[in-house]
């Protein structure tokens, strides 16, 4: 068993938030996973999920140097191992008839954030925003962090009852992003900042600076309805992304000056203090690299020196 997988062995318990393909809140899901090492070197994961959809079963994982093979029966597919703390997968769940795009990042040793986009064909049916904690075998399951409410009331609330879009708050996300080049070689970690300034009438400015693939400071001039954000024609970076509960984002942005496309995904913790970021960068259909990391939210960017 590799050192990477040894960090995930144990019992993980979480409360997911589930949205439909249009970003409407469907309800919470209770997520239980038991990760065990087998004698043949594979890993067995027993999973149980109860929420707007339900499923229980197990699957086996075989780990190679830079990827993982999901060998079924519950989950079949392939995951890139981007770092010891991050996997990025495309898989299929036969019992549900759903294909899945998925990333899972260990934010610290006992906390995981994940984003699962589950489709049938090309139609997105569910988005599952997950936060899981490792629980000692002899400990009770932790009390989940929930916003009280029902689907009937919250389905039309883009914040899923929180009252704020965590990813669109005025302030600054700061940290470092690690990088990989097109061949998977490590590029190290570099500073990265996103400064968010909400405006009137659904307008939003996001100033991005740093990273590996377009380190020049760029401004995104966006319009948003709380479930989607899209760039205006005058923006230095164009494109759009979807929002789920104000906590998760996924979309495509085109950096005009360098002619690179960025597939971005991010998930904020339930308390809104940190977010996991995964970005794949492309020129046309060819991936030129990947950058990823954990950013911390600050109300004022000047509070931290990069």
């Amino acid at each position: 068993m590799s050192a990477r997988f040894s960090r995930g062995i144990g019992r993980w318990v979480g409360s997911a938030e589930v949205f439909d393909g249009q970003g409407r809140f469907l309800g919470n899901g209770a997520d239980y996973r038991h990760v065990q090492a087998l004698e043949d070197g594979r890993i067995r994961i027993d999973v149980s999920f109860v929420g707007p959809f339900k499923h229980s079963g197990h699957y086996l994982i075989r780990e190679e140097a830079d990827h993982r093979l999901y060998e079924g029966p519950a989950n079949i597919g392939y995951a890139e191992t981007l770092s010891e703390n991050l996997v990025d997968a495309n898989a299929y769940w036969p019992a549900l008839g759903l294909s899945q795009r998925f990333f899972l990042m260990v934010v610290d040793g006992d906390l995981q954030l994940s984003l699962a986009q589950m489709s049938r064909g090309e139609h997105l049916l569910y988005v599952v925003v997950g936060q899981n904690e490792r629980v000692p075998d002899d400990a009770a399951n932790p009390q989940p962090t929930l916003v009280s409410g029902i689907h009937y009331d919250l389905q039309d609330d883009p914040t899923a009852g929180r009252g704020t879009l965590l990813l669109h708050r005025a302030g600054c996300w700061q940290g470092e992003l690690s990088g990989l080049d097109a061949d998977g070689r490590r590029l190290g970690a570099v500073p990265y900042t996103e400064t968010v300034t909400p405006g009137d009438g659904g307008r939003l400015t996001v100033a991005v600076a740093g990273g590996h693939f377009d380190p020049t400071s760029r401004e995104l001039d966006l319009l948003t309805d709380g479930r989607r954000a899209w760039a205006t024609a005058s923006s230095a970076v164009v494109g759009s992304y979807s929002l789920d509960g104000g906590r998760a984002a996924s979309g495509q942005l085109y950096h005009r000056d360098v002619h690179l496309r960025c597939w971005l995904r991010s998930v904020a913790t339930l308390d809104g203090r940190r977010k996991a970021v995964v970005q794949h960068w492309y020129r046309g259909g060819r991936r030129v690299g990947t950058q990823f990391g954990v950013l911390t939210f600050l109300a004022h960017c000047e509070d931290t020196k990069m």
Side-chain angles (χ1 to χ4, degrees):
M1 180 179 59
S2 74
R4 291 192 296 268
F5 241 129
S6 66
R7 291 182 172 90
I9 297 299
R11 189 160 61 95
W12 296 84
V13 176
S15 175
E17 295 179 342
V18 184
F19 302 86
D20 69 11
Q22 300 301 313
R24 292 184 290 259
F25 180 70
L26 297 178
N28 286 92
D31 190 359
Y32 302 95
R33 297 172 188 266
H34 187 202
V35 183
Q36 308 169 72
L38 303 180
E39 292 183 357
D40 64 3
R42 292 185 295 176
I43 300 296
R44 174 176 170 136
I45 298 184
D46 291 89
V47 59
S48 175
F49 186 91
V50 179
F53 63 89
K54 59 186 186 298
H55 179 58
S56 66
H58 79 275
Y59 57 96
L60 302 175
I61 297 180
R62 185 181 304 276
E63 186 167 41
E64 305 294 344
D66 61 355
H67 65 275
R68 296 175 181 179
L69 303 175
Y70 298 152
E71 298 184 331
N75 183 14
I76 301 168
Y78 184 102
E80 293 183 79
T81 305
L82 299 178
S83 81
E84 63 182 11
N85 292 323
L86 172 63
V87 294
D88 192 339
N90 286 272
Y92 182 67
W93 291 76
L96 301 174
L98 294 175
S99 299
Q100 181 190 58
R101 295 185 304 176
F102 174 77
F103 85 79
L104 182 146
M105 185 182 293
V106 178
V107 176
D108 56 47
D110 294 319
L111 181 68
Q112 298 174 340
L113 292 175
S114 61
L115 179 64
Q117 297 166 299
M118 309 187 77
S119 304
R120 185 164 289 164
E122 294 296 325
H123 296 285
L124 181 63
L125 298 186
Y126 297 105
V127 178
V128 183
V129 185
Q131 178 169 315
N132 284 52
E133 298 177 58
R134 193 201 310 263
V135 181
D137 288 338
D138 58 352
N141 292 336
Q143 183 74 21
T145 301
L146 298 173
V147 175
S148 296
I150 62 174
H151 161 254
Y152 181 84
D153 297 321
L154 298 180
Q155 63 179 335
D156 295 322
D157 180 0
T159 75
R162 271 180 289 271
T164 185
L165 298 167
L166 295 178
L167 296 182
H168 281 181
R169 289 170 294 169
C172 186
W173 296 94
Q174 289 185 330
E176 291 186 331
L177 297 185
S178 298
L180 301 172
D181 69 11
D183 297 315
R185 290 185 293 260
R186 301 197 180 281
L187 300 175
V190 295
Y192 181 81
T193 304
E194 295 176 356
T195 305
V196 182
T197 306
D200 297 326
R203 303 191 75 89
L204 183 77
T205 300
V206 181
V208 178
H212 289 278
F213 304 103
D214 186 14
T216 304
S217 297
R218 308 286 186 191
E219 275 201 357
L220 287 75
D221 297 314
L222 302 168
L223 296 172
T224 180
D225 60 5
R227 289 200 174 99
R228 290 154 290 267
W230 58 98
T232 65
S234 61
S235 180
V237 179
V238 295
S240 62
Y241 58 86
S242 58
L243 286 166
D244 293 286
R247 272 187 67 207
S250 179
Q252 307 274 342
L253 296 176
Y254 184 74
H255 289 234
R256 299 166 71 168
D257 286 352
V258 293
H259 305 291
L260 290 175
R261 172 173 57 89
C262 173
W263 174 30
L264 66 90
R265 285 170 291 169
S266 59
V267 174
T269 54
L270 286 164
D271 61 14
R273 295 178 182 176
R274 293 176 290 176
K275 72 172 178 177
V277 174
V278 181
Q279 298 178 355
H280 292 306
W281 289 73
Y282 298 86
R283 178 162 280 115
R286 179 175 62 88
R287 190 195 295 183
V288 300
T290 297
Q291 59 187 21
F292 53 87
V294 179
L295 306 181
T296 300
F297 181 77
L298 301 168
H300 304 285
C301 293
E302 60 270 20
D303 289 349
T304 292
K305 295 181 180 180
M306 297 291 292

